[in-house]
Amino acid sequence: MSNTILIEKDKKNTGKEKPAAKRGKYAKGAEITGAQAVVEALIAENVTDFFGYPGGAIMPIYDALYDYMDTLNHVLVRHEQGSIHAAQGYARTSGEVGVVFATSGPGATNLVTGLADAQIDSTPVVCITGQVFASLLGTDAFQETDVINITAPITKWNYQITDATEIPAVLAKAFYIARSGRPGPVLVDITKNAQVQKFTYPGYKLCNHIRSYRPKPNIREEYIKEAADLINAAERPFVIFGQGVILGKAEKEFQHFIEKGGLPAAWTVLGLSALPTDHELNVGMLGMHGNYGPNVLTNECDVLIAVGMRFDDRVTGRLDKYARQAKVIHLDIDPAEIDKNVQSTVPVWGDCKETLPLLTALIWQKQHTEWLQRFKEMRKQEEEVVINDELNPQGEIMTMGEVIRVLNEICGGDAVIVTDVGQHQMVTCRYAKFNHSKSNVTSGGLGTMGFALPAAIGAKFGAPDREVVAIIGDGGFQMTLQELGTIMQTGIKVKIIILNNNFLGMVRQWQQLFNDRRYSFVNITSPDFVTLAKAYDIEATSISKREHLKAAIETMMNHDGAYLLEVIVGKENNVFPMVPQGCGVAEIRLK
Amino acid sequence: MKQEYTITVYTENHIGLLNRIAIMFSRRKINIESLNTSPSEIEGIHRFTIVINEAEDVVKKLVRQIEKQVEVLKAYYNTNDEIVWQQLALYKMSTDKVIADVKVERLLRKYGARAVVIRKDYTVFETTGHREEIDKLTEVLGSLGLIEFVRSARVAIINASSGFYEKLQEFEAEKPGEEIVENEFLDKQDEVFSM
């Protein structure tokens, strides 16, 4: 790899400096190629870091990129799936659009999982894929795939460019659609002839309006008023919030809202970190493996206020047993989410950055001491039955929870934590401490194993001055471990903890509880992770004893560079509490 | 309760949009009974008319998802008594049969069918109406030497609609974006540099 990128990298890692209004190389009126126009678009959209993998059909764009090595940081991944997960991680921690380059055919199809993930988790990503020459479309040409149709259901928007003159306007539209309203992934497929075609550059005009697209529904004052009346009359109000608060950059507005109303608030997995963990009104996690109080009391509150969340089935359990007694106020930017799963009493359409302050202005300053006390009591019950044993186990074998506890003690809640999917994800979300928003990166809706390692790389590029710790299971790590190569090449300083229980733990837990311990293909063997990391020139250690845990995590955090720590944890530990499938939230099991 | 709903969708004229809309039905395993795309009262804006048999709750959610598509301006759903609709059918019959059998002529007259083409060997009739009427005619003609039959999709006018101009003006209130040239290039295949 070139030295210029390494130097650039060091600069990045010491603090993120966005080059203000970087100038492109070409002015309006210049004769340039389509490929050059693509790269100019990135500059105009203020893209600094992005992820990709070259190939035949995108070669002209990579050729154009060669002239921009000093202004754009392209990260070469090891698999296209890694590039899109990295872009997702980047978008989550930076709050900006993640960008991906991939070639046609297999390059583009390898993006499919990431696109589906970004679509369901509303992550702003722009993917630019190469495509065969327009004259070859539909001829089964080498590396030709119908990417537009494959990705239609998993993109917010996609478009195929066959003429260079379309490039500036389409890319401006792509970035605008990806980041506005409810964000999502956009894919732009560019045929090779358009990349090499010369045209007179019209300049780059940012897009801010599409006639048929309404990113934000109009706010209806009467609903705000109705919602405020309900909240003011409530005796047991309960706020549940999701990623909408983070995507709307409305953390402050949200905090003012719950503080004024004295409203206890619980989060979905993707809403995690929007409100500091130790905020007195933060009562914990919702859903299948969420906290006891928030789940049980969902069915006892009189007014349920949902902010920027979509009542996913992992949150609600059985819908006919979900908050039937409550009046429901639903704040969401996406009108299609209102009444989709849970019928709302008052729908508050709009961007919560705008609706929350309007609502806060109308609600009364209040305390709900007794009601809040109920959450605290249930928290105590949960501590006695579940949490204490998980965080400070008496047994010899380590638990996942205690690893997170020690990590909390060392990082103090300031790190970005990236998780994969499975037991370790639920344990981390339950116990990790967060002081800052945009700190929890995980695959929530799609549940993509293999997400964490590449996402952590992207997360670090998106927040270079913060510590990024990836927590991954032994199964998920083996799905995308090739990205260790990306870490090696870029020198990106991510910390990786593998919680190894020698099982595909979540499936095993279900097989134990519901399939009579018939452990069908969940017994997974792993390579020697330490040797593996060292092969990629990454420092690594493996521990299995409690007395080494603290020192090992300290060593990892103090190490100047990437680090992999494998922690051997209990083979057959389960995540509790749990709302079994087909049960209502109030039927949550503590053991 | 399932019943017939007519969904009307106003869209931009964009390649791939038909697929984007169609897969929203197939994803939910909903069968499309009839689908028509046509220009609308406004130049450059297309109108989809889609008929499905579903419960209102499902239709309502589906319409919201359709409306979420970037290129969709607006989507409506209506029951049959809220719309005026027609379908067109063409019937090809043997001319000899038509001349020989008085019953055929009587039937065609009864259903308001008109001859479009009359040749020595065959005659083509057309009729417009609701599906049930067309189906009935098809059924009886079937036994009288029907050679070919085809029925078009439903087209429907919403009783309560005052047209789309007003809505469009609302959408265009903000400053309009730059026009995007649609796949112009595909028309000039010969000029394309190829491998």
Side-chain angles (χ1 to χ4, degrees):
Chain A
M1 85 181 277
S2 79
N3 272 334
T4 46
I5 289 188
L6 269 182
I7 294 159
E8 186 67 19
K9 220 51 295 112
D10 285 345
K11 225 178 10 190
K12 291 259 138 160
N13 290 344
T14 53
K16 185 161 172 104
E17 29 182 301
K18 279 246 152 187
K22 264 178 321 184
R23 284 290 155 155
K25 285 189 194 299
Y26 300 100
K28 189 175 161 179
E31 279 291 305
I32 63 171
T33 64
Q36 284 166 327
V38 170
V39 186
E40 286 290 317
L42 299 193
I43 305 259
E45 293 287 350
N46 229 352
V47 174
T48 51
D49 309 89
F50 63 109
F51 309 88
Y53 205 102
I58 198 171
M59 275 184 65
I61 292 177
Y62 271 86
D63 185 60
L65 196 55
Y66 193 77
D67 292 329
Y68 293 80
M69 290 241 189
D70 50 343
T71 39
L72 285 171
N73 178 35
H74 172 276
V75 177
L76 176 66
V77 293
R78 292 299 178 271
H79 186 286
E80 288 87 356
Q81 187 188 351
S83 70
I84 185 158
H85 290 330
Q88 290 178 275
Y90 179 86
R92 293 273 192 91
T93 56
S94 70
E96 283 161 44
V97 179
V99 176
V100 174
F101 277 7
T103 193
S104 65
T109 56
N110 281 343
L111 298 178
V112 166
T113 305
L115 286 169
D117 195 289
Q119 171 83 344
I120 201 165
D121 281 352
S122 309
T123 312
V125 176
V126 169
C127 294
I128 294 169
T129 52
Q131 181 57 281
V132 300
F133 289 89
S135 57
L136 296 176
L137 287 171
T139 65
D140 301 326
F142 177 64
Q143 292 192 330
E144 188 208 350
T145 306
D146 184 358
V147 179
I148 294 297
N149 281 315
I150 287 178
T151 61
I154 47 170
T155 48
K156 188 173 171 188
W157 186 68
N158 63 11
Y159 190 84
Q160 185 173 64
I161 294 176
T162 50
D163 189 298
T165 56
E166 292 181 285
I167 288 173
V170 170
L171 287 180
K173 201 170 160 184
F175 276 90
Y176 171 60
I177 291 169
R179 71 160 75 91
S180 58
R182 179 179 182 174
V186 168
L187 183 138
V188 179
D189 196 37
I190 310 179
T191 57
K192 202 169 178 180
N193 59 285
Q195 297 173 39
V196 296
Q197 181 192 348
K198 289 211 162 192
F199 72 117
T200 311
Y201 188 49
Y204 192 85
K205 237 170 81 189
L206 293 174
C207 178
N208 60 5
H209 176 78
I210 297 165
R211 152 172 100 167
S212 57
Y213 170 59
R214 285 163 305 291
K216 289 180 195 174
N218 294 335
I219 295 167
R220 303 262 296 263
E221 300 269 344
E222 66 268 32
Y223 287 143
I224 303 265
K225 174 88 180 42
E226 274 177 46
D229 290 345
L230 276 184
I231 296 171
N232 288 336
E235 283 171 15
R236 297 178 308 280
F238 182 31
V239 174
I240 55 181
F241 64 98
Q243 197 191 198
V245 175
I246 299 173
L247 292 170
K249 302 184 172 64
E251 294 91 345
K252 276 216 182 76
E253 289 79 0
F254 179 73
Q255 216 162 312
H256 289 158
F257 168 66
I258 58 168
E259 281 167 4
K260 186 172 180 194
L263 310 166
W267 36 271
T268 69
V269 163
L270 286 179
L272 175 55
S273 87
L275 183 69
T277 315
D278 49 16
H279 191 283
E280 55 167 351
L281 290 168
N282 188 335
V283 293
M285 173 170 157
L286 294 161
M288 188 173 265
H289 292 291
N291 291 111
Y292 192 46
N295 274 307
V296 172
L297 297 178
T298 295
N299 280 6
E300 287 182 32
C301 67
D302 55 0
V303 176
L304 188 66
I305 307 134
V307 185
M309 57 87 71
R310 59 184 178 86
F311 292 106
D312 177 72
D313 61 282
R314 284 298 191 267
V315 162
T316 62
R318 248 178 84 157
L319 277 174
D320 58 355
K321 293 184 179 177
Y322 184 79
R324 305 301 282 185
Q325 81 297 340
K327 298 225 159 61
V328 178
I329 301 169
H330 193 174
L331 285 77
D332 210 290
I333 196 166
D334 179 359
E337 287 302 338
I338 310 273
D339 299 343
K340 186 182 84 177
N341 294 332
V342 171
Q343 186 66 36
S344 62
T345 318
V346 181
V348 183
W349 295 4
D351 184 345
C352 63
K353 178 112 185 153
E354 294 161 23
T355 51
L356 280 172
L358 292 173
L359 199 49
T360 310
L362 296 182
I363 62 169
W364 301 333
Q365 187 95 34
K366 248 184 166 179
Q367 303 279 332
H368 295 278
T369 323
E370 263 175 53
W371 173 232
L372 202 56
Q373 192 57 34
R374 296 282 313 277
F375 285 93
K376 286 180 185 157
E377 280 158 17
M378 301 198 90
R379 170 83 192 179
K380 203 162 266 163
Q381 281 180 30
E382 187 180 343
E383 275 170 5
E384 281 162 15
V385 186
V386 182
I387 300 176
N388 293 343
D389 281 344
E390 184 66 35
L391 298 187
N392 297 290
Q394 301 303 311
E396 204 181 309
I397 301 161
M398 277 191 280
T399 61
M400 293 183 180
E402 71 178 312
V403 178
I404 306 303
R405 174 180 58 79
V406 174
L407 185 70
N408 285 342
E409 287 163 11
I410 291 166
C411 295
D414 290 328
V416 170
I417 295 188
V418 185
T419 49
D420 212 73
V421 170
Q423 285 187 316
H424 73 278
Q425 176 191 33
M426 291 297 109
V427 170
T428 307
C429 289
R430 285 177 54 80
Y431 300 113
K433 182 170 152 45
F434 292 102
N435 303 331
H436 313 288
S437 182
K438 296 206 268 288
S439 298
N440 169 51
V441 180
T442 193
S443 166
L446 199 68
T448 306
M449 283 176 73
F451 174 82
L453 186 63
I457 296 169
K460 181 71 179 171
F461 278 108
D465 48 352
R466 299 184 64 190
E467 291 289 358
V468 173
V469 183
I471 296 164
I472 315 179
D474 46 324
F477 186 79
Q478 291 186 66
M479 282 202 178
T480 48
L481 62 79
Q482 76 283 351
E483 298 307 331
L484 289 175
T486 310
I487 295 174
M488 172 176 69
Q489 188 164 0
T490 56
I492 190 90
K493 297 169 184 174
V494 293
K495 315 294 179 184
I496 304 154
I497 298 178
I498 297 178
L499 295 176
N500 187 350
N501 58 5
N502 280 295
F503 263 125
L504 298 174
M506 188 58 95
V507 179
R508 187 210 53 76
Q509 175 172 343
W510 282 52
Q511 289 177 346
Q512 178 192 338
L513 298 176
F514 312 117
N515 290 359
D516 207 16
R517 276 183 201 266
R518 286 152 58 88
Y519 288 170
S520 184
F521 299 97
V522 287
N523 197 334
I524 187 169
T525 52
S526 294
D528 180 338
F529 289 122
V530 174
T531 309
L532 184 74
K534 291 199 167 152
Y536 283 100
D537 210 15
I538 294 167
E539 270 306 308
T541 314
S542 175
I543 58 162
S544 56
K545 293 210 162 57
R546 182 162 300 130
E547 57 263 37
H548 300 142
L549 179 61
K550 190 156 187 224
I553 294 182
E554 271 169 353
T555 306
M556 174 181 82
M557 296 311 294
N558 292 332
H559 178 73
D560 184 27
Y563 196 98
L564 185 148
L565 171 66
E566 180 193 23
V567 183
I568 309 293
V569 294
K571 280 189 76 153
E572 297 188 64
N573 291 355
N574 289 336
V575 190
F576 278 112
M578 179 175 192
V579 180
Q581 208 169 31
C583 291
V585 280
E587 296 168 89
I588 185 166
R589 286 169 59 173
L590 276 174
K591 50 186 173 183
Chain B
M1 190 196 66
K2 281 193 183 184
Q3 60 169 313
E4 215 165 65
Y5 282 95
T6 301
I7 299 171
T8 306
V9 190
Y10 287 93
T11 75
E12 299 288 355
N13 183 12
H14 175 86
I15 293 176
L17 190 58
L18 171 63
N19 179 42
R20 271 193 177 264
I21 289 175
I23 58 178
M24 301 180 85
F25 293 85
S26 54
R27 174 180 175 182
R28 292 164 179 79
K29 221 169 158 128
I30 296 171
N31 192 28
I32 294 177
E33 306 287 341
S34 143
L35 183 151
N36 183 74
T37 71
S38 80
S40 71
E41 60 269 29
I42 300 162
E43 201 190 324
I45 290 181
H46 268 232
R47 178 175 178 149
F48 285 64
T49 307
I50 305 164
V51 182
I52 60 170
N53 235 315
E54 262 303 333
E56 180 172 10
D57 184 49
V58 175
V59 179
K60 193 157 108 189
K61 287 174 187 171
L62 188 58
V63 163
R64 283 189 180 173
Q65 296 291 345
I66 292 173
E67 218 168 73
K68 213 163 103 175
Q69 291 296 328
V70 171
E71 267 102 7
V72 170
L73 290 123
K74 192 82 194 151
Y76 303 93
Y77 69 92
N78 296 96
T79 54
N80 286 347
D81 43 353
E82 293 166 343
I83 54 169
V84 174
W85 84 94
Q86 289 289 354
Q87 283 174 291
L88 172 91
L90 296 177
Y91 305 86
K92 186 158 130 190
M93 307 273 297
S94 146
T95 306
D96 291 344
K97 270 269 170 60
V98 177
I99 293 166
D101 199 336
V102 204
K103 224 163 76 193
V104 175
E105 201 192 320
R106 208 181 301 137
L107 268 170
L108 294 172
R109 205 185 287 275
K110 181 181 165 198
Y111 285 95
R114 308 189 288 122
V116 187
V117 171
I118 303 170
R119 298 229 175 147
K120 245 205 295 204
D121 46 349
Y122 66 85
T123 303
V124 176
F125 297 99
E126 69 160 13
T127 180
T128 54
H130 287 183
R131 183 183 167 163
E132 295 71 25
E133 300 158 2
I134 293 170
D135 283 353
K136 234 178 267 165
L137 180 60
T138 316
E139 204 180 306
V140 281
L141 288 183
S143 55
L144 298 168
L146 180 63
I147 301 169
E148 214 177 324
F149 162 71
V150 63
R151 190 184 65 222
S152 78
R154 171 184 294 191
V155 291
I157 294 283
I158 304 168
N159 295 341
S161 167
S162 50
F164 201 65
Y165 284 106
E166 225 169 88
K167 265 271 174 253
L168 186 69
Q169 271 163 1
E170 199 181 294
F171 293 152
E172 282 180 336
E174 291 165 66
K175 60 180 163 172
E178 210 162 296
E179 267 314 304
I180 287 173
V181 190
E182 285 285 345
N183 281 326
E184 214 181 24
F185 202 71
L186 282 176
D187 303 333
K188 305 184 240 168
Q189 285 219 357
D190 300 344
E191 300 162 34
V192 178
F193 165 61
S194 85
M195 283 209 264

